[in-house]
Amino acid sequence: MKKLIGGNWKMNVNLDTISAMESFFEKITDYVDVFIAVPFIYLKECHEKFNNLIKPNIKLAAQDLSAYEDGTYTGQISARMLKDYSVEYVLIGHSEIRTFKYESNKLINEKLKIAIKYNIQPVLCIGETLTERESNGYLEYLKVQFEESTKNLEGCSFDIAYEPVWAIGTGKVAENDQISEVLIKIKGWMEIKKITGRCIYGGSVSSKNIDKLNDIKELDGYLVGNASLSEDFIKIISKSV
Ligand code: PGA
């Protein structure tokens, strides 16, 4: 199975920076599946740019979507709208959105169902905060996140990103044995529910720590934030093939 490497541009780009990054997409190898999670407002721009690249392995992703199909939901973006721009992946339950928008696992479960209905590959993000990690209750916390978010989704296919909140944007990458321990659990929970998909890690991934992370045999790829905005992303990809 090819590795899946996602770039999450968050709110860190504009038209100028997107144009400046164009040249480095050409350098992405075909031996990995790549998605770029773009702010909604630039999906059209990136849809056109990615279409012009002769790189079918680079897919367009959204950073979120509405749990509703359509209706009076000011400011929301639906799965149907994302399909208009050939969005193929969507991040669901990213910890920043869980925090800023007080998202519950129930809402995340509804978003997953909508994405699956519209054939957009969800990447469900789960991860514990430092408090849960330090209190040793992190595995139970992650299990609840997983179980509630995947309710009634037995037999479905989607990817899962394990992103410890304390490692996101902090430069503090989790240790290999910490990541392995959680991935083995997640893969076990997926198996019980017959959920198929890849398990990736996110949290301060960079070209400096990628060689060490690549030693984790349970890993199927990465979700990369800050480092996806520069040539570092190309290095991460080429070292992970
Ligand atoms: P980071 O972000 O690589 O900057 O830590 C990862 C993410 O938020 O997905």
Side-chain angles (χ1 to χ4, degrees):
M1 194 187 351
K2 278 186 185 177
K3 279 205 172 128
L4 175 67
I5 303 192
N8 180 7
W9 283 353
K10 309 191 181 188
M11 206 176 71
N12 289 319
V13 287
N14 57 38
L15 279 183
D16 290 342
T17 52
I18 291 173
S19 291
M21 283 192 272
E22 218 162 293
S23 61
F24 78 58
F25 285 120
E26 299 289 350
K27 300 182 198 159
I28 290 180
T29 158
D30 298 339
Y31 298 110
V32 287
D33 291 327
V34 174
F35 68 78
I36 309 288
V38 168
F40 291 133
I41 196 167
Y42 301 125
L43 283 173
K44 183 171 187 292
E45 182 80 16
C46 291
H47 165 59
E48 283 157 14
K49 279 191 196 306
F50 293 179
N51 265 355
N52 292 335
L53 289 169
I54 314 163
K55 291 275 174 190
N57 61 321
I58 303 180
K59 312 284 192 199
L60 189 59
Q63 298 177 6
D64 192 16
L65 90 175
S66 171
Y68 303 102
E69 292 203 58
D70 46 46
T72 51
Y73 301 103
T74 305
Q76 299 297 293
I77 302 288
S78 69
R80 204 194 306 264
M81 293 173 185
L82 298 181
K83 286 302 267 189
D84 281 343
Y85 293 103
S86 309
V87 169
E88 292 183 62
Y89 283 84
V90 60
L91 299 180
I92 296 185
H94 190 282
S95 67
E96 286 157 9
I97 301 182
R98 285 181 191 257
T99 308
F100 299 146
K101 293 194 171 170
Y102 307 103
E103 282 199 336
S104 63
N105 291 326
K106 185 172 179 295
L107 180 69
I108 287 163
N109 177 250
E110 282 157 17
K111 289 185 174 189
L112 273 169
K113 287 179 183 157
I114 285 281
I116 291 167
K117 176 171 179 190
Y118 280 85
N119 208 15
I120 302 173
Q121 176 78 0
V123 180
L124 167 66
C125 303
I126 63 173
E128 79 284 2
T129 63
L130 194 57
T131 316
E132 282 111 23
R133 168 63 59 177
E134 286 178 341
S135 71
N136 252 340
Y138 58 96
L139 287 176
E140 190 45 41
Y141 178 84
L142 289 165
K143 182 148 202 290
V144 170
Q145 266 191 340
F146 173 85
E147 290 298 341
E148 292 183 0
S149 306
T150 62
K151 195 166 174 220
N152 297 327
L153 290 176
E154 287 77 3
C156 290
S157 175
F158 51 87
D159 303 306
I160 298 195
Y162 168 52
E163 297 207 295
V165 179
W166 46 273
I168 297 178
T170 58
K172 192 175 173 353
V173 69
E175 292 298 333
N176 284 14
D177 56 348
Q178 294 177 314
I179 300 171
S180 282
E181 180 193 36
V182 171
L183 288 183
I184 289 167
K185 288 282 178 201
I186 295 175
K187 288 191 170 189
W189 300 332
M190 288 170 81
E191 207 177 310
I192 292 168
K193 290 187 128 176
K194 301 201 173 0
I195 292 168
T196 51
R198 287 175 276 196
C199 278
I200 65 178
Y201 166 80
S204 297
V205 175
S206 75
S207 63
K208 293 195 181 68
N209 52 41
I210 195 70
D211 288 330
K212 186 175 170 205
L213 288 168
N214 278 332
D215 286 340
I216 304 173
K217 59 178 190 318
E218 295 82 16
L219 257 185
D220 303 320
Y222 302 100
L223 181 53
V224 185
N226 275 329
S228 69
L229 298 161
S230 67
E231 292 261 348
D232 220 32
F233 194 52
I234 310 301
K235 290 188 197 155
I236 292 168
I237 292 172
S238 54
K239 285 179 171 212
S240 303
V241 172

